[in-house]
């Protein structure tokens, strides 16, 4: 390459080059090099070793290419400390120097990347005072990549980010004052009713600081290295670029507020909004040129002052409001200021050239707005409204609520006056959609104007697109990220003009999970605080090392790497598509495009680029370390224990029948081909079977008599086959040793179930089995599900005994409340069996209360597996108790019962009866301190009738605990499978305990009403919640008792559920109990879960079958022994209650059927549901068609 004179002068000046490092090469005996450095580079010397010679060739080709280009200069001499070696000092021309003298191309930087692998940058080797190895080992540029800190897990990096330390020293004095207010003492933020914790103040202040003065950070693609002579340079190991000077980028004006679950992220956001009330966004630089308009005539002093105030972004709204509180009103000033709101014009796109005349389009005027746009999931709208009402004084913020997807959005000039616009994610997507079904609002003076342009317009133009908002906050914003593609929410957000952007989520992705997810699930005896420093550090170190030791198990390693890549892809979607974080959001076709995948996503070895990820997270995330939060606040203790219960007769039968299905399938299929349940093609069916097996740990009735008979026949036929017997005798073939015994045990289990009258009846009727003592003798036969034994407890279904209870309770004040009970029982049982007869798979044997014949068998080869591999039909619909409340819906703090009274009521199990209107006068005559009379005569057997037990060990234990606790504490029960919630609800209804069921099929309006009502009133003491609905955003700190009716496979799901109650606002210690049947498969599952690493959990996150050890445990699942005394003894079959509960004449039962359950619910702003729509609000499978969520229209201001 030839150079001109200026070029030569530039290249000859060694000061333009960076001293890069030292190369040690073998000395050629014929070399003329001396002991002093001279500018030269020796020829390659080959040793005959193939690997070493290959490295030498690669190095010499790269060096000579760079020398020819003038990018490199080399000075060599004999090594003073190592005879037979050459010391070469290498100088490199940085990429940010000499651009006008020479052209740089990307392909030549690859030569520098190869050279950098062998360069030694130490000063000792540069001086030649220390011998060095020949370049068969990689230099310190490569070894840095493999340091342990670069293999830290994503979990570890996220939980060790430095806590925010904001400073009020920012260039904008107005913002500096806002930060100072937040960092000050009590009531420093005007309008904020709640005193913030210190960490909340720091987080809110850091939000504002990042918004108004983003830090300048080193380009995360570059690493800082030290020259051997003491200077610094910056190297990008991916592209090979070397810079002399650092290159900086501004952080995003926003980020991710990722404080731990339950630490008040909503309150932090509200504090930041209040502190910056009235602050104006800046006009984007590309539109700020020539935006100052010239007046047609001289304006008044007031107009010019108003324009100047807005131009200088003075927060006049908060100033005027503060003056109004002191009695000073400036109505005219406010009006003029609002008319002079700043704006800018976005030029119209250039029209295509055409010979035809075209209309010249004018630019679009965008108004600046001081409003914060808050986007939340539909079910969290009421939470935000309640938080605003609780923490912010009235008349401080002007808030516009959009509660419905059908409501009309007001024009931009009205929205511009707001401080906050609160709306749902679904409404935002509809608002900004190109195919929106929304209509433009009519702006005519006459609403009936048929020629209004709004009526004729076919496309909807959202007023949100006409405003430039100060800030947007997306609550639970992890849902806006996506893997591999953009979703509708991202497209909607990209159409908005916003200066400051925030995602609010404690878990931005599943890998970015707080340490509390690990501490919350730890089993304790004395209780812990999840911010215990020693515990936290121990977990962090274990989770840090797990990222390094993955080479031991390739399958687990591969799964963990895939999981981390997906997490980082989602984080990249937030950083690029929402936060517009540079350099990652640089234009792809530009000169400085950056690839998130290349720099942030780990490679196939699990090694990521040094410090890149940590630096990016530091620039995005606002989050306190748990140790720092602990200095400001201590939550009540968290007690977490596992309760091991002995399985009862029906528990054993249900679990054994599943084991029978697996055993019969394994042996008869000979564990090969698609007939074998564990064949890969049967994965979906096997997953459903395991799910059903887990549900059966609570209660199960889906097995039919015919299926059991089919399994027994199949087993016997296989055992009796001559071929099978011969293979057993020879000890070869597919009938393994022990398979014969396995089938025989399966046959015995099936026969035991068929001999059990109670199991046959419960399965045929699909009823929750209950046991009743002292039921009226003359009505026992009519109500019994089985052949009645007078001296034993009555066996009856929950639905049937509810009918009996309702009948008696509505006839309490007749002379004989039990009169006609037998006739009602006969009618009820006839309806039951006739209803089963009407189903195509059922047949009725008689109409005298006996169970019907089993259904016709399914016609396929795995008939004995048909119901075990199918999702069970949902048995229940109602999600709110029909038991009448004696409490009015008042605030929980005003309605707490006396602790001693609650304890007495719980210990006796006797509850106050609901008085019939005919007895009201006599009741009023007595003193208010007199206990009401029992409506049932004590000599009547009805007063002694008791619910003595159930067919489920878990249900009986749960009822015992609820009876004791519900008067003094609120209870949160997590379940998996809606039928479990239905069984619990049936039992609670019988006991007169009001409940709510929070399930995924509820409308957003009803979900909100359930949470609000449970938190704000004393009416409902028990909330049953699908554990998968408890993931994010719900605040249920009024509950202090938490039960998991089945062990949860995913620890993160369990931790999220626990944190619904153990969070800020909780005043009591939180007690968590997980119910486990002892020595069963779920017991083994829980033990396995506790011993799994984080990477193993990631691998088996979707299904426990993805864990090889767990899958083998399922294959080897053994039968639970059936005790001989349980076979015929009804007393030993039932799971007895500690204290039998009164059945008739209980509190709130008399009017249960006619009571409107929704009367006690609190809907947003008094919104209620009509009776017709209430009846349609049901539990699962799309039965909530009458939900009000899609019909109510609610939009309004709050000032």
């Amino acid at each position: 390459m030839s150079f001109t004179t200026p070029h030569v002068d530039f290249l000859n000046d060694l000061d333009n080059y960076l001293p890069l490092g030292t190369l040690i090469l073998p000395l050629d005996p014929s070399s003329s090099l001396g002991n002093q450095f001279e500018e030269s580079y020796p020829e390659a010397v080959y040793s005959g070793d193939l690997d070493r010679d290959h490295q030498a060739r690669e190095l010499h080709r790269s060096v000579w290419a760079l020398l020819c280009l003038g990018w490199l200069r080399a000075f060599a001499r004999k090594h003073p400390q190592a005879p037979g070696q050459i010391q070469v000092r290498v100088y490199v021309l940085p990429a940010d120097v000499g651009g006008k003298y020479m052209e740089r191309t990307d392909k030549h930087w690859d030569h520098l990347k190869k050279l950098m692998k062998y360069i030694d940058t130490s000063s000792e080797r540069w001086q030649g005072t220390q011998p060095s190895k020949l370049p068969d080992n990689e230099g310190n540029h490569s070894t840095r990549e493999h340091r342990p800190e670069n293999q830290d897990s994503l979990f570890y990096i996220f939980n060790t980010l430095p806590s925010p330390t904001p400073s009020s020293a920012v260039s904008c004095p107005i913002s500096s004052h806002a930060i100072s207010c937040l960092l000050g003492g009590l009531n420093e933020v005007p309008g904020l009713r709640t005193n913030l914790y210190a960490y909340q103040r720091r987080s809110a202040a850091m939000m504002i600081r990042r918004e108004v003065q983003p830090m300048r950070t080193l380009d995360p693609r570059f690493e800082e290295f030290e020259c051997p002579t003491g200077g610094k340079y910056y190297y990008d190991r991916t592209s090979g670029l070397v810079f002399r000077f650092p290159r900086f980028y501004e952080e995003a004006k926003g980020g991710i507020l990722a404080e731990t679950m339950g630490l008040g992220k909503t309150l932090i956001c509200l504090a930041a909004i209040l502190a910056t009330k009235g602050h104006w966004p800046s006009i984007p630089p590309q539109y700020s040129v020539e935006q100052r308009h010239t007046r047609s005539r001289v304006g008044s002093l007031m107009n010019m002052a108003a324009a100047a105030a807005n131009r200088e972004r003075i927060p006049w709204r908060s100033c005027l409001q503060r003056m109004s509180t002191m009695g000073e009103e400036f109505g005219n000033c406010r009006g003029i200021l609002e008319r002079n709101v700043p704006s800018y014009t976005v030029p119209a796109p250039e029209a295509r050239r055409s010979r035809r005349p075209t209309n010249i389009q004018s630019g679009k005027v965008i108004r600046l707005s001081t409003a914060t746009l808050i986007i939340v999931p539909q079910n969290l709208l009421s939470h935000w409204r309640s938080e605003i009402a609780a923490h912010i004084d009235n008349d401080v913020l002007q808030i516009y609520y959009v509660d419905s997807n059908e409501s009309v959005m007001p024009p931009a000039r009205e929205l511009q006056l707001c401080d906050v616009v609160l709306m749902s994610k679904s409404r935002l997507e509809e608002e900004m959609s190109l195919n929106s079904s929304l209509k433009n609002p009519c702006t005519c003076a006459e609403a009936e104007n048929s020629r209004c342009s709004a009526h004729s317009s076919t496309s909807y133009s959202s007023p949100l697109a006409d405003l430039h908002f100060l800030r947007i906050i997306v609550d639970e914003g992890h849902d806006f990220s996506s893997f591999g593609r953009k979703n509708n929410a991202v497209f909607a957000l990209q159409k908005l003009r916003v200066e400051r952007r925030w995602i609010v989520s404690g878990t931005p992705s599943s890998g970015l999970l707080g340490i509390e997810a690990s501490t919350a699930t730890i089993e304790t005896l004395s209780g812990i605080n999840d911010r215990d420093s020693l515990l936290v550090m121990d977990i962090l170190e274990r989770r840090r090392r797990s990222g390094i030791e993955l080479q031991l198990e390739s399958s687990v390693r591969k799964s963990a790497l895939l999981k981390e890549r997906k997490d980082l892809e989602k984080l990249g979607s937030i950083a690029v598509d929402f936060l517009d974080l540079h350099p990652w959001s640089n234009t792809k076709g530009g000169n400085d495009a950056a690839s998130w995948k290349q720099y942030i996503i780990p490679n196939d070895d699990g090694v990521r680029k040094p410090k890149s990820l940590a630096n990016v997270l530091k620039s995005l995330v606002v989050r306190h370390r748990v140790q720092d939060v602990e200095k400001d606040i201590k939550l009540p203790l968290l007690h977490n224990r596992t309760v091991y219960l002995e399985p009862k007769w029906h528990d054993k039968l249900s679990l054994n029948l599943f084991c029978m299905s697996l055993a019969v399938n394994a042996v008869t299929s000979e564990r090969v081909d698609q007939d074998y349940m564990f064949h890969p093609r049967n994965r979906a069916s096997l997953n459903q079977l395991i799910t059903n097996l887990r549900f059966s740990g609570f209660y199960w009735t889906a097995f039919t008599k015919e299926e059991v008979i089919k399994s027994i026949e199949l087993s016997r036929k296989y055992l009796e086959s001559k071929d099978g017997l011969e293979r057993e005798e020879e000890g070869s073939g597919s009938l393994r040793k022990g398979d014969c015994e396995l089938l025989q045990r399966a046959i015995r289990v099936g026969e035991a179930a068929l001999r059990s009258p109670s199991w046959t009846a419960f399965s045929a009727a699909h009823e929750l089995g209950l046991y009743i003592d002292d039921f009226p003798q003359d009505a026992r036969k009519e109500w019994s599900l089985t052949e009645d034994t007078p001296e034993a407890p009555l066996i009856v279904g929950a639905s049937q005994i509810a009918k009996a209870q309702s009948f008696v309770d509505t006839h309490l004040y007749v002379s004989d409340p039990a009169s006609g009970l037998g006739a009602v029982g006969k009618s009820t049982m006839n309806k039951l069996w006739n209803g089963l007869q009407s189903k195509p798979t059922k047949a009725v044997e008689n109409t005298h209360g006996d169970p019907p014949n089993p259904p016709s068998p399914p016609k396929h080869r795995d008939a004995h597996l048909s119901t075990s591999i199918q999702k069970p039909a949902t048995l229940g619909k109602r999600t709110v108790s029909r038991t009448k409340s004696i409490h009015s819906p008042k605030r929980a703090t005003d309605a707490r019962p006396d602790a001693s009274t609650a304890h007495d009521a719980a210990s006796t199990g006797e509850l106050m009866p609901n008085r019939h209107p005919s007895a009201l006068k006599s009741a009023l005559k007595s003193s208010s301190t007199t206990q009401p009379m029992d409506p049932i005569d004590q000599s009547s057997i009805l007063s002694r009738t008791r619910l003595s037990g159930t067919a489920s060990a878990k249900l009986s234990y749960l009822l015992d605990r609820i009876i004791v606790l519900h008067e003094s504490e609120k209870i949160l029960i997590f379940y998996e499978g809606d039928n479990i919630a239905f069984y619990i609800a049936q039992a609670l209804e019988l006991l007169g305990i009001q409940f709510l069921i929070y399930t995924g099929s509820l409308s957003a309006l009803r979900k909100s009403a359930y949470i609000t009502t449970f938190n704000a009133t004393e009416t409902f003491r028990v909330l049953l919640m699908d554990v998968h609905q408890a993931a994010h955003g719900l605040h249920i700190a009024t509950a202090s008792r938490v039960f998991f009716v089945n062990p949860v496979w995913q620890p993160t799901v369990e931790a999220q559920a626990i944190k619904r109650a153990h969070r800020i606002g909780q005043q009591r210690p939180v007690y968590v109990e997980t119910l486990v049947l002892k020595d069963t498969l779920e017991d083994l599952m829980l033990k396995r879960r506790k011993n799994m690493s984080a990477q193993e959990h990631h691998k088996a996150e979707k299904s426990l079958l993805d864990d090889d050890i767990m899958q083998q445990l399922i294959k080897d699942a053994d039968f639970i022994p059936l005790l001989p005394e349980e076979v015929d003894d009804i007393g030993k079959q039932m799971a007895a209650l500690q204290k039998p509960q009164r059945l008739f004449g209980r509190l709130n039962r008399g009017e249960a059927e006619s009571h409107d359950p929704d009367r006690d619910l609190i809907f947003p702003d008094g919104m209620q549901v009509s009776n017709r729509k209430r009846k349609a609000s049901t539990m699962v499978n799309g039965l909530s068609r009458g939900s009000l969520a899609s019909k109510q229209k609610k939009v309004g201001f709050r000032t």
Side-chain angles (χ1 to χ4, degrees), residues 1095-1113:
Q1095 284 68 33
E1096 288 173 322
H1097 277 300
H1098 286 320
K1099 178 185 176 184
E1101 183 177 28
K1102 294 183 179 180
S1103 170
L1104 49 81
L1105 291 171
D1106 290 330
D1107 179 62
D1108 296 335
I1109 295 178
M1110 193 65 235
Q1111 184 173 143
Q1112 191 60 45
L1113 289 174

Side-chain angles (χ1 to χ4, degrees), residues 515 519 528-541 625-631 634:
I515 189 69
T519 58
I528 63 168
N529 190 301
D530 65 359
R531 291 163 187 84
D532 182 87
S533 298
L534 295 178
L535 177 63
V536 167
M537 293 308 298
D538 177 64
I539 294 175
L540 282 176
E541 284 303 315
R625 293 186 180 183
V626 290
Q627 303 94 316
D628 296 325
V629 175
E630 188 181 14
K631 300 174 184 177
K634 285 186 178 293

Side-chain angles (χ1 to χ4, degrees), residues 852-1076:
N853 287 331
S856 301
K859 297 186 181 301
H860 55 81
R861 67 172 185 269
D862 288 329
H864 64 289
L865 289 172
S866 59
T867 58
S868 63
I869 61 176
Q870 295 174 2
K871 185 176 181 179
T874 303
L875 303 177
K877 299 179 180 180
R878 287 188 291 107
T879 59
V880 57
S881 173
R882 288 192 178 275
T883 300
K884 185 177 180 181
S885 171
I886 59 172
H887 303 286
S888 60
K890 52 187 176 181
R891 296 290 169 190
T893 54
D894 301 328
R896 275 232 187 255
D898 179 71
S900 60
T901 305
H903 174 75
D904 293 341
S907 62
T908 60
E910 302 293 338
L911 301 177
M912 303 290 292
N914 183 42
R915 303 302 296 180
H916 192 274
S918 62
L920 183 60
K921 291 184 179 180
S922 60
L924 291 175
K925 291 180 181 178
S926 61
S927 170
S928 60
T929 59
T930 303
Q931 294 293 331
M933 294 184 299
D934 194 320
I936 299 180
D937 191 283
Q938 293 300 309
S939 61
S940 171
I941 192 174
L942 294 177
S943 66
R944 301 190 301 274
T945 304
R946 294 289 188 271
L947 171 64
S948 57
T950 75
S952 167
K954 289 185 179 181
L955 179 59
S956 292
Y957 176 85
L958 194 61
L959 292 178
D960 285 332
R961 299 294 290 153
I962 293 173
I963 291 167
V964 172
L965 299 170
H966 82 281
E967 288 286 349
S968 56
E969 298 184 64
K970 287 189 176 183
I971 300 167
L972 184 57
I973 301 174
F974 290 108
Y975 66 87
E976 293 182 84
D978 290 322
N979 281 344
I980 293 178
F982 173 67
Y983 292 135
I984 298 172
Q986 280 187 308
L988 295 178
E989 200 85 76
L990 291 172
L991 300 180
I993 298 173
Q994 288 195 280
F995 61 86
L996 295 167
I997 303 178
Y998 190 100
T999 186
S1001 63
L1002 294 176
S1003 67
L1005 176 65
R1006 188 166 286 272
K1007 285 181 178 179
S1008 173
Y1010 283 13
I1011 297 299
T1012 302
T1013 304
F1014 184 75
N1015 285 331
T1017 76
E1018 294 298 299
T1019 305
F1020 299 94
R1021 310 296 297 169
V1022 178
L1023 177 64
L1024 295 96
M1025 178 173 285
D1026 186 336
V1027 70
H1028 296 289
Q1029 294 295 312
H1032 302 286
L1034 297 179
H1035 179 92
I1036 319 177
T1038 53
S1040 54
R1041 295 284 178 168
V1042 179
F1043 293 91
F1044 291 91
V1045 298
N1046 293 103
V1048 181
W1049 175 245
Q1050 304 99 326
T1052 55
V1053 173
E1054 179 183 351
Q1056 293 272 10
I1058 292 173
K1059 297 306 292 184
R1060 299 310 103 208
H1062 192 241
R1063 58 198 296 118
I1064 284 184
Q1066 180 58 259
Q1067 303 298 319
R1068 299 171 177 261
V1070 176
Y1071 294 86
V1072 180
E1073 297 183 30
T1074 301
L1075 309 186
V1076 178

Side-chain angles (χ1 to χ4, degrees), residues 122-140:
S122 64
S123 60
E124 294 82 7
R125 292 184 176 86
W126 181 268
Q127 298 298 332
T129 58
Q130 183 177 348
S132 179
K133 295 181 180 180
L134 295 174
D136 54 350
N137 294 319
E138 294 185 340
N140 48 8

Side-chain angles (χ1 to χ4, degrees), residues 27 94 373 681 781 830 945:
L27 177 64
L373 184 60
R681 292 197 175 184
K781 181 178 180 181
N830 284 341
T945 304

Side-chain angles (χ1 to χ4, degrees), residues 123 156 236 258 506 683 816 830 850 943 965 971 980 1123 1180 1182 1189:
S123 60
Y156 180 85
D236 177 1
R683 185 58 179 271
D816 183 9
N830 284 341
D850 296 327
S943 66
L965 299 170
I971 300 167
I980 293 178
L1123 303 179
V1180 292

